[in-house]
Amino acid sequence: ERVKKGKWLAGYIERVNLLIKRNSWRRVLLYSLCGLLVVAVFAYFFYRSVWAMIFLLPISFEIMFYLDNTICEKNKQILKKQFREMILSMATNLKVGYSPENAFLEAYADLIQLYGKNSRIIYELDTIKKGLSVNLTLEKLLRDFEKRSHIEEISEFVDVFCLAKKTGGNLVEIIDSSSNMISQKISVDEEIEVITRAGKMERQIMMIIPFLIILYIEFTNQNFFTPLYHNLAGVLVMSVCLTVYFVSVKVSGKII
């Protein structure tokens, strides 16, 4: 939103702050090294100059944002799958007569066998379990879970659950119906991911192909690209090529 309003610098700073906030310093350092490595590759292939890395430095931040977003999306997909198993287990527990609070505790026991103690869903359920032990309401604990997850399906389930408890409706039937719909939605998302996986792999290969072609030509004819480096005309031509490459990467990402 800030970028759309022209406050691009403030938006950029916020993205950096978010990256630092949700990652350990080791991971931020790893992202930084990956970003600098990519910048070094671009500086070599397009300009053959170390000084070019200074002007290409913003690319390293984009690489860091890309890696961070990729890892976050992957973690969200994992949490979605684990959450689906949680609500299905909870719905089953409610059907056999457990209260909502005890249904969550039973789901905790089921999922710890399925995913292990170090999984994200067990961390969240453990937080809920500890909150219940100090008399916090289940609704508040689920709202906190929703805020931490930033996942639409979890938000939908929490809304339905809190509304059902507040209005005093048939909680078992409502939760069962809601869990089935959310489970189906997650299944559809997984099918879409499978369908687009081939396209994503092709895109990644095509991003690497130009560099492999350049390496091949350099290996077979070492002086072929010499006129493109260390002169104004060459810099302009390679800058245009670099721009076309970035635009192609951006457009192919939008298509996928």
Side-chain angles (χ1 to χ4, degrees), residues 48 218 221-231 234:
R48 290 291 196 276
E218 281 193 337
N221 189 348
Q222 294 183 355
N223 297 322
F224 186 82
F225 291 111
T226 301
L228 292 174
Y229 300 116
H230 306 298
N231 62 81

Side-chain angles (χ1 to χ4, degrees), residues 34-47:
C34 291
L36 290 174
L37 178 61
V38 172
V39 167
V41 170
F42 281 126
Y44 174 77
F45 278 98
F46 286 90
Y47 299 105

